[in-house]
Amino acid sequence: MGYLDFLLRRDDCNSNNTYDGKWQSYNEKSSLEIRRIPQYVLDHAPLVHLYSRETFWPSHIGEHLQHVSPYIEYEPAAGALHYNLTNLHRLNGLCGNVFLQSDDNVEDRPSWLTSRENIPVPNCSNPQCGTPTTDSDMEIPTIEQFRPGRSSAPATLIVVRKPGGIVDAFWFFFYSYNLGNKVFVRFGNHVGDWEHTAVRFKNGKPHAVYYSEHDFGNAYKWEAVEKYKHNTTRPMSYSAVGTHAMYAAPGVHRYVLPFGLLSDHTDKGPLWDPLQNMYAYDYDLDSDRVYPSHVTPGAPLQWLYYNGRWGDKGYRMEDDRQYRFAGQYHYVSGPLGPRFKNLGRVTICEGAGKCILQGSRQTLWPRIGKWARRTEDKPEDDDHYGFWAGLKSSFDAYRSTRHAWDA
């Protein structure tokens, strides 16, 4: 069965939107081989700096499923099944678009949304390395005080082998809540949040790194990305506060919505090492089949076949939590899962347009009256931002001192 056939399969759904046990993934009864993840993929795994003042930390996808219920659009799906990582794919048997709606009012900020227990715990003897246990304004230690840490929320690695000696390693990171950015009012909140960094290898050698930034992401030559100072084979990623969009450097990152007025902020907060806790898989493009790996042979597979959304459908306008401003909504629908992130992409970029490999992490950083190159060492100066500077930066943001077309 091909990828499109799988997406469109609705033969065994029923009009009452209840699961009757007939529908199941073609993979559910199969005995799949355990495939090996190339060692070079693990050797070049990214490290992720979370934002030091983050509120919504990494979440365990299994824990997330304990606090959501399946809905068809705005109506609850009938049935008494408890859905978890081993049977979530059965929701594909329902007719209509499936959403995993929060059982709580998200504006009450239940603890499963903030997931503070999943702040990466570093391996060091410094008492400041302890994970904060309250929601106080206490400082979280900087990376200079500890080594990479383990999060109780597993990352997801999906390795995809492609023609021409190309191997793409997709590192996915899940958060139960996305807090949108703010200009006058806040836009783009949603339940469930999937972000990723992808490392492309050619003939076993790292070639490029893709970051799921806003505005369709950005890709860099391997030589251009920052590496961990104690292990130069591992690229650095920076997760933006609230939105968790992935970037190649700390600082202020403006994007077009509208005219560059929205911005993501990254810094060198707690350092997350996905190698210390992950689910690792091998994905076959031709058959649209996920295989277990030798790294985590017992990791659940079925949840990856779920075709629905990982959060609520964007709230109706009559909902007190919803509003619209300049065509943008306060709450939008939750995202689809990792298999819908264009794993079969020809270039390392996620979008359909031309893919430019940035040759430098330097980006244009707008200031009133002048233009300056911003590097990772530039302080976050967000006070001197003009409208026309933002408009210019929106169009210039795709420029870099040197580019190379991704082959």
Side-chain angles (χ1 to χ4, degrees):
M1 182 186 300
Y3 184 63
L4 183 60
D5 295 328
F6 183 84
L7 295 183
L8 298 179
R9 181 172 181 176
R10 286 290 185 269
D11 296 340
D12 297 317
C13 72
N14 60 76
S15 58
N16 294 323
N17 278 328
T18 58
Y19 177 70
D20 57 14
K22 296 180 180 179
W23 194 98
Q24 56 185 326
S25 161
Y26 60 85
N27 177 56
E28 190 173 22
K29 291 184 176 179
S30 302
S31 177
L32 295 177
E33 63 180 288
I34 295 177
R35 294 190 172 182
R36 293 195 65 82
I37 302 296
Q39 185 59 43
Y40 59 78
V41 167
L42 304 176
D43 291 341
H44 297 87
L47 292 164
V48 182
H49 271 300
L50 301 171
Y51 195 76
S52 58
R53 292 288 188 168
E54 181 60 73
T55 300
F56 301 98
W57 300 93
S59 301
H60 194 301
I61 51 178
E63 171 74 12
H64 181 81
L65 294 180
Q66 296 179 27
H67 300 280
V68 295
S69 298
Y71 273 61
I72 306 300
E73 303 290 341
Y74 295 106
E75 299 298 325
L81 275 181
H82 173 67
Y83 294 97
N84 54 47
L85 297 178
T86 64
N87 65 7
L88 186 64
H89 63 294
R90 296 185 179 184
L91 289 174
N92 298 344
L94 301 178
C95 295
N97 298 317
V98 181
F99 295 80
L100 299 179
Q101 181 164 311
S102 170
D103 295 333
D104 302 296
N105 181 356
V106 296
E107 296 199 340
D108 291 337
R109 299 293 189 261
S111 61
W112 64 272
L113 283 186
T114 57
S115 301
R116 290 183 63 84
E117 69 277 8
N118 296 327
I119 298 174
V121 177
N123 179 17
C124 77
S125 58
N126 189 331
Q128 288 184 298
C129 292
T131 302
T133 57
T134 69
D135 290 326
S136 67
D137 290 332
M138 66 181 295
E139 290 285 349
I140 296 175
T142 65
I143 182 54
E144 301 304 324
Q145 297 173 288
F146 53 70
R147 291 179 287 177
R150 180 188 187 274
S151 173
S152 298
T156 298
L157 168 63
I158 300 179
V159 174
V160 185
R161 305 162 201 267
K162 299 176 180 178
I166 291 176
V167 172
D168 285 344
F170 295 91
W171 294 88
F172 287 95
F173 309 100
F174 182 74
Y175 307 80
S176 282
Y177 193 72
N178 177 102
L179 182 68
N181 281 318
K182 187 175 183 179
V183 52
F184 306 121
V185 292
R186 193 174 297 282
F187 300 106
N189 293 354
H190 56 83
V191 177
D193 189 19
W194 283 103
E195 302 292 342
H196 72 282
T197 293
V199 182
R200 168 158 290 190
F201 300 88
K202 288 189 175 181
N203 300 316
K205 303 294 183 182
H207 174 68
V209 182
Y210 170 83
Y211 298 89
S212 58
E213 305 175 3
H214 277 116
D215 278 350
F216 307 106
N218 222 336
Y220 296 82
K221 296 179 181 179
W222 173 258
E223 296 78 13
V225 300
E226 178 188 357
K227 313 301 190 304
Y228 182 50
K229 63 183 179 181
H230 298 304
N231 182 347
T232 56
T233 66
R234 302 190 66 179
M236 302 301 299
S237 297
Y238 292 84
S239 175
V241 60
T243 69
H244 312 117
M246 306 297 290
Y247 291 89
V252 180
H253 312 272
R254 304 196 179 281
Y255 56 96
V256 190
L257 189 59
F259 305 122
L261 292 178
L262 294 181
S263 61
D264 279 322
H265 296 250
T266 59
D267 70 7
K268 293 190 175 184
L271 188 57
W272 182 8
D273 183 0
L275 284 181
Q276 297 189 36
N277 185 20
M278 64 176 177
Y279 295 148
Y281 307 96
D282 189 282
Y283 179 66
D284 184 81
L285 283 173
D286 293 335
S287 63
D288 185 33
R289 182 167 297 189
V290 181
Y291 290 84
S293 76
H294 79 286
V295 179
T296 57
L301 294 171
Q302 293 86 349
W303 66 273
L304 284 164
Y305 291 101
Y306 167 60
N307 291 340
R309 301 275 180 167
W310 283 77
D312 300 23
K313 183 176 175 63
Y315 302 143
R316 292 186 172 107
M317 288 303 298
E318 55 265 31
D319 192 311
D320 291 341
R321 297 169 294 184
Q322 184 66 291
Y323 56 73
R324 182 173 61 186
F325 180 80
Q328 306 301 319
Y329 289 85
H330 184 208
Y331 281 95
V332 297
S333 298
L336 297 169
R339 283 175 54 255
F340 297 88
K341 302 299 183 182
N342 194 10
L343 300 181
R345 64 188 72 170
V346 176
T347 68
I348 189 59
C349 300
E350 183 177 7
K354 291 181 179 179
C355 184
I356 298 176
L357 290 184
Q358 307 291 334
S360 170
R361 280 177 290 124
Q362 292 180 326
T363 56
L364 288 173
W365 185 57
R367 300 286 300 273
I368 287 182
K370 67 177 181 179
W371 290 87
R373 290 284 177 183
R374 180 182 63 79
T375 68
E376 64 270 23
D377 297 321
K378 181 70 68 174
E380 294 183 11
D381 185 349
D382 197 36
D383 296 329
H384 304 293
Y385 184 78
F387 173 81
W388 293 110
L391 178 60
K392 187 177 190 306
S393 70
S394 299
F395 291 101
D396 286 347
Y398 299 102
R399 297 179 182 175
S400 182
T401 53
R402 296 177 182 176
H403 302 304
W405 293 102
D406 195 12

